[in-house]
C-alpha cells in the first residue's frame, strides 16, 4: 500500500498530463492519472504511466565525474571538485579565446526555472547570448512563424477547444503516437462526427482506425508542405471561400491583397502542383473546401511541419489559412502546434534562444534588456548569440571551446552525427548534466548527475501554454535538483545567486516577464494551472488567444513561395527518408528504454513500401543498409504500404541505429531547425550491423 502521494506533471510529451505519484518511502510504486488534471482529465498513456521506472534505474549516474581529456577514464570526484574543474575550464576558455568562446544548451525536459537559470548563466555569467535550447531542433519555426503572423510564439487554443471543432486538419503530426492523450481526445470528437483532413506522407493511424476514417488523406511527398498549404490557399481564394469580414476586421488588408494575388496564380493551382505533391488535385480541392466551409476548422501540426528547410514558411502558411477562413479567436478553431517534449513551450518562453530574453523580447530591445541589466547588475550584449548549429560550426573552426549542456543528448538527437562529434571533440570543456551517460557524454570532460522530474520542484508549460507544477515526490538521488547544480556553477564563476527554492526563481521570472507577471507557486496552487499570459489584463490566464485582436495588432499574411529543398533524390539516393516517433518510446529513448516500455519497440525499423522492397530484394525482417550523402546505418526492414512508393520511414529511439547519422545538416532558412524529415537515401540488403 502507498504511504503517501503527490500530484505532479509528466516529463515526456507536450500534452502535460498530471499524475498522482504514490510513494512507499522514497520509492514510487504507482502513477495514477490525476482526475482533476486540466490537460488530461484523468487519462494517460503508456509512457507517462511507467515514467517512474527510469528514476530508479540502475544506469543512473549519481556521482559527479571529471577527466582531463576524453580519451581518459572517468574519475569520481566530489561535487565541489567537479564544479570547480568546470568553472576553471570555462574561465580559461574565455580568457584564451574570448568571451564568445563558451555557451549553454538548455533542455525542454527541464523545468522553466532550470531553463531560466541556464540562460541567465550565459547572459550574466559569460556575458554573451550563446544560449540555445533543444527546441531549436523541433519547434523553433513555430516560435518564429506564429510571432510573425499573430505576434505570439504559441498555440492559440486550449485542448478542450477541440470539442467544438467541426473540421480537424492534422498536418505533419501523428497525435495517437506522439501525443496519445490528446490523440484520443481528438478521436472522440471525430467519432462524434467532426470531419478529418490528414496531410502526411504516411498513412498514420488517424487516417483509418476503428470508428475513425479521414475524409481526406493527402499523402504529399516529403518536403512539399509549402506547396500544399499554398495550393489549399489557392482554392480558398479562387473559389471565393475567404471570410472577408474577418480579414477586413482583423488583418492587414494590403498584405492580404498581396497574398491573395500571389496564391491565386495558376502555378499554385492543385492541378499545377499535382506532380510536385504526388496528390490528386481533386483531393486537394475537396480538402480546401471542407476546411473553409465545414464550420469550425482547427489545425493541429507537429514536427512534420517544422523540421524542414521551409519549416517557418509552412507555419506562416498555416496561419494564412486560419486567418483567411476566420478560424481564430474562439473555441473549436485555431492554429495548434503539438509540442514534442513536455516543456518545449516553457523552454522557449524562458529566453533560452540566443536572440530573445524571457517572454520573447528581442535582445536588441533596449527597454527589455535594461530591465534585466538592472535586476542582474550587468551590461548585456545586445547582439544575438550563437544557435546550436552555429556553435558546432564555430567549434570546428576553433573559435568555440566550451559548452554546458543540461538534459539534452545532442550527439544522438541533432542531425549529421559525424559533424556534431567533430565539433564536440574540438572543445576544451564539455559539461554534460544528465541522468545517464548519454551519447554526448562520450565527448564530455565533466559529468554532473541530473535529477528526474520526481526529484525536484518547479513548473512545466505544455502545448496549450498551461503552466503546471512539478512536485518533488522524493529526494534527489544525486543530492541536488538541476537548478541547484546550475547555481553551484554560477557561484563558482563568481556570481552571487541565493535562490532558496524554485518558487523564488519563478518570482524573479514573473518580476521580469510581462506574460508571467501573475504567476507564482501560490497562484498555481490555488488555480491548479494557469495558461499564460497571466497579468493584469488576464489575471487568471488565457485559454484562447486573439479573441478580439492579435497580439501584434493586425494579423499578418505572409507570402509563402515554395522553394524545393536542396536534398534531391537521384540515381545514387533515389528514396526519401522521413523520421518520427512511436507510441511506446520517447525521443532518443534515454528514459523510455529504461522503463517497462523497453519491452515494446525494442529496435528502430525501416518502413519500406512493397514495391521498393521488391526492387531491392528486401524481405520482411531483413537487415538493410540505409545510406545518404551524410552517412549510413543499418536497420531491419518492415514492409508496409503505410508509406508511399519512394518514401521510407524510421524512428530514432535507439542509439545503436543512430538514424541521425544519415540525416543532413540542411535546416530551416529562418531558425536553423534541422531538416530531419527529408533525406535522400539508398536502401540495400546487408548481412547485419
Ligand atoms: Fe500524457 Fe504525453 Fe505523458 Fe503520455 S507522454 S502521459 S500523453 S504527457
Amino acid at each position: 500500500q502507498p504511504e503517501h502521494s503527490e500530484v505532479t506533471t509528466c516529463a515526456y510529451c507536450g500534452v502535460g498530463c498530471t499524475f498522482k505519484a504514490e510513494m512507499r518511502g522514497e520509492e514510487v510504486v504507482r502513477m495514477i492519472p490525476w482526475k482533476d488534471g486540466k490537460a488530461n482529465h484523468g487519462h494517460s498513456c503508456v509512457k507517462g504511466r511507467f515514467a517512474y521506472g527510469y528514476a530508479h534505474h540502475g544506469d543512473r549516474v549519481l556521482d559527479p565525474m571529471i577527466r582531463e581529456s576524453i580519451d581518459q577514464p572517468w574519475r569520481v570526484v566530489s561535487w565541489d571538485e567537479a564544479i570547480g574543474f568546470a568553472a576553471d575550464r570555462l574561465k580559461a576558455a574565455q580568457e584564451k579565446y574570448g568571451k564568445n568562446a563558451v555557451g549553454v544548451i538548455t533542455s525542454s525536459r527541464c523545468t522553466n526555472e532550470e531553463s531560466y537559470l541556464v540562460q541567465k548563466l550565459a547572459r550574466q555569467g559569460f556575458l554573451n547570448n550563446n544560449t540555445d535550447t533543444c527546441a531549436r531542433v523541433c519547434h523553433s519555426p513555430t516560435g518564429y512563424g506564429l510571432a510573425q503572423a499573430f505576434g505570439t510564439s504559441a498555440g492559440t487554443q486550449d485542448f478542450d477547444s477541440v470539442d467544438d471543432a467541426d473540421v480537424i486538419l492534422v498536418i505533419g503530426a501523428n497525435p495517437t503516437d506522439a501525443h496519445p492523450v490528446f490523440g484520443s481526445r481528438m478521436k472522440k470528437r471525430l467519432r462524434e462526427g467532426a470531419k478529418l483532413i490528414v496531410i502526411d506522407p504516411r498513412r498514420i493511424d488517424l487516417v483509418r482506425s476503428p470508428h475513425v476514417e479521414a475524409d481526406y488523406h493527402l499523402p504529399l511527398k516529403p518536403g512539399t508542405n509549402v506547396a500544399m498549404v499554398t495550393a489549399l490557399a489557392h482554392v480558398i481564394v479562387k473559389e471565393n471561400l475567404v471570410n472577408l469580414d474577418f480579414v477586413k476586421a482583423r488583418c492587414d488588408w494590403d498584405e492580404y491583397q498581396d497574398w491573395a494575388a500571389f496564391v491565386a496564380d495558376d502555378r499554385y493551382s492543385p492541378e499545377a502542383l499535382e506532380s510536385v505533391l504526388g496528390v490528386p488535385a481533386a483531393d486537394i480541392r475537396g480538402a480546401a473546401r471542407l476546411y473553409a466551409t465545414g464550420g469550425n476548422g482547427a489545425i493541429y501540426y507537429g514536427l512534420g511541419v517544422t523540421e524542414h528547410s521551409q519549416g517557418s514558411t509552412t507555419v506562416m502558411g498555416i496561419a494564412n489559412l486560419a486567418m483567411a477562413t476566420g478560424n481564430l479567436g474562439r473555441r473549436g478553431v485555431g492554429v495548434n502546434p503539438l509540442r514534442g517534449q513536455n516543456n518545449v513551450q516553457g523552454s522557449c518562453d524562458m529566453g533560452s534562444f540566443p536572440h530573445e530574453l524571457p517572454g520573447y523580447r528581442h535582445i536588441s530591445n533596449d527597454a527589455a534588456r535594461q530591465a534585466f541589466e538592472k535586476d542582474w547588475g550587468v551590461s548585456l550584449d545586445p547582439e544575438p548569440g550563437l544557435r546550436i548549429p552555429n556553435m558546432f560550426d564555430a567549434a570546428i573552426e576553433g573559435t568555440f571551446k566550451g559548452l554546458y549542456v543540461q538534459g539534452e543528448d545532442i550527439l544522438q538527437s541533432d542531425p549529421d552525427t559525424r559533424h556534431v562529434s567533430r565539433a564536440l571533440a574540438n572543445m576544451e570543456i564539455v559539461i554534460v548534466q544528465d541522468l545517464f551517460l548519454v551519447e554526448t557524454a562520450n565527448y564530455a570532460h565533466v559529468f554532473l548527475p541530473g535529477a528526474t522530474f520526481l526529484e525536484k520542484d518547479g513548473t512545466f508549460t505544455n502545448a496549450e501554454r498551461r503552466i503546471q507544477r512539478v512536485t518533488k515526490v522524493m529526494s534527489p538521488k544525486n543530492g541536488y535538483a538541476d537548478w541547484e547544480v546550475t547555481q553551484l556553477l554560477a557561484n563558482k564563476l563568481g556570481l552571487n545567486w541565493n535562490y532558496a527554492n524554485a518558487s523564488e526563481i519563478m518570482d524573479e521570472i514573473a518580476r521580469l516577464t510581462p506574460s508571467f507577471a501573475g504567476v507564482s507557486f501560490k497562484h498555481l496552487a490555488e488555480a491548479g494551472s494557469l495558461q499564460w499570459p497571466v497579468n493584469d489584463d488576464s489575471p487568471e490566464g488565457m485559454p484562447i488567444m486573439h479573441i478580439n485582436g492579435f497580439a501584434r495588432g493586425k494579423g499578418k499574411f505572409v507570402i509563402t513561395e515554395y522553394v524545393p529543398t536542396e536534398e534531391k533524390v537521384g540515381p545514387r539516393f533515389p528514396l526519401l527518408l522521413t523520421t518520427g516517433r512511436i507510441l511506446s518510446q520517447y525521443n532518443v529513448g534515454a528514459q523510455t528504454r529504461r522503463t517497462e516500455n523497453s519491452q515494446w519497440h525494442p529496435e528502430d525499423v525501416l518502413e519500406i513500401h512493397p514495391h521498393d522492397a521488391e526492387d531491392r530484394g528486401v524481405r520482411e525482417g531483413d537487415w538493410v543498409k540505409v545510406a545518404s550523402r551524410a552517412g549510413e546505418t543499418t536497420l531491419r526492414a518492415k514492409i508496409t504500404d503505410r508509406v508511399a512508393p519512394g518514401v521510407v520511414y524510421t524512428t530514432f529511439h535507439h542509439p545503436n541505429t543512430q538514424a541521425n547519422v544519415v540525416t543532413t545538416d540542411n535546416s530551416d532558412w529562418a531558425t536553423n531547425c534541422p531538416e530531419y524529415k527529408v533525406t535522400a537515401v539508398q536502401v540495400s540488403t546487408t548481412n547485419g550491423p
Side-chain angles (χ1 to χ4, degrees), residues 99-100 123 127-131 353-357 362-366 369 373 379-386:
K99 78 178 168 81
N100 292 324
R123 294 192 158 114
L127 297 174
N128 66 34
N129 291 304
N130 291 341
T131 169
F353 286 132
H355 67 293
E356 280 175 339
L357 291 161
H362 200 275
I363 191 70
S364 63
N365 176 332
D366 289 342
R369 208 175 56 255
E373 289 176 337
S379 280
L380 298 182
D381 189 339
E383 291 294 320
L386 297 174

Side-chain angles (χ1 to χ4, degrees), residues 10 12-13 15-17 19 44-45 47-48 179-181:
C10 181
Y12 285 138
C13 87
V15 176
C17 299
F19 285 85
S44 78
C45 81
K47 288 191 281 279
H179 304 88
V181 166

Side-chain angles (χ1 to χ4, degrees), residues 229-251:
V229 294
T230 312
L232 293 169
H234 175 96
V235 177
I236 290 167
V237 168
K238 291 282 276 191
E239 298 191 8
N240 298 318
L241 305 178
V242 173
N243 183 335
L244 285 173
D245 289 343
F246 182 92
V247 172
K248 282 179 180 162
R250 300 286 303 274
C251 305

Side-chain angles (χ1 to χ4, degrees), residues 372-405:
F372 286 88
E373 289 176 337
K374 191 163 167 227
D375 205 271
W376 294 351
V378 291
S379 280
L380 298 182
D381 189 339
E383 291 294 320
L386 297 174
R387 298 168 173 179
I388 291 173
N390 305 138
M391 293 181 194
F392 296 153
D393 292 345
I396 287 170
E397 287 164 11
T399 56
F400 188 82
K401 289 291 182 179
L403 184 61
Y404 169 37
V405 194

Side-chain angles (χ1 to χ4, degrees), residues 53 56 150 247 249 253 309 323 395 400 465 476 487 493 575 625 629:
H56 301 306
F150 307 143
V247 172
W253 180 245
S309 57
M323 288 188 288
F400 188 82
R465 295 170 280 104
Q487 177 160 276
L493 286 164
L575 303 173
K625 184 173 83 176
R629 293 178 180 92

Side-chain angles (χ1 to χ4, degrees), residues 226-336:
V226 171
M228 176 59 79
V229 294
T230 312
L232 293 169
H234 175 96
V235 177
I236 290 167
V237 168
K238 291 282 276 191
E239 298 191 8
N240 298 318
L241 305 178
V242 173
N243 183 335
L244 285 173
D245 289 343
F246 182 92
V247 172
K248 282 179 180 162
R250 300 286 303 274
C251 305
D252 185 300
W253 180 245
D254 291 341
E255 286 170 350
Y256 164 73
Q257 288 183 307
D258 290 346
W259 172 79
F262 164 76
V263 300
D265 193 284
D266 284 347
R267 68 200 168 100
Y268 279 115
S269 75
E271 290 73 18
L273 289 170
E274 206 171 42
S275 62
V276 171
L277 294 164
V279 178
D283 286 355
I284 300 170
R285 287 192 177 275
R289 289 170 190 146
L290 176 59
Y291 173 68
T293 65
N296 286 339
I299 301 179
Y300 296 89
Y301 72 87
L303 304 182
V305 159
T306 55
E307 291 176 342
H308 288 271
S309 57
Q310 284 201 289
S312 293
T313 314
T314 308
V315 172
M316 294 185 286
I318 288 170
N320 290 340
L321 292 174
M323 288 188 288
T325 53
N327 276 314
L328 287 157
R330 62 182 189 278
R331 282 177 63 88
V333 298
V335 174
N336 305 287

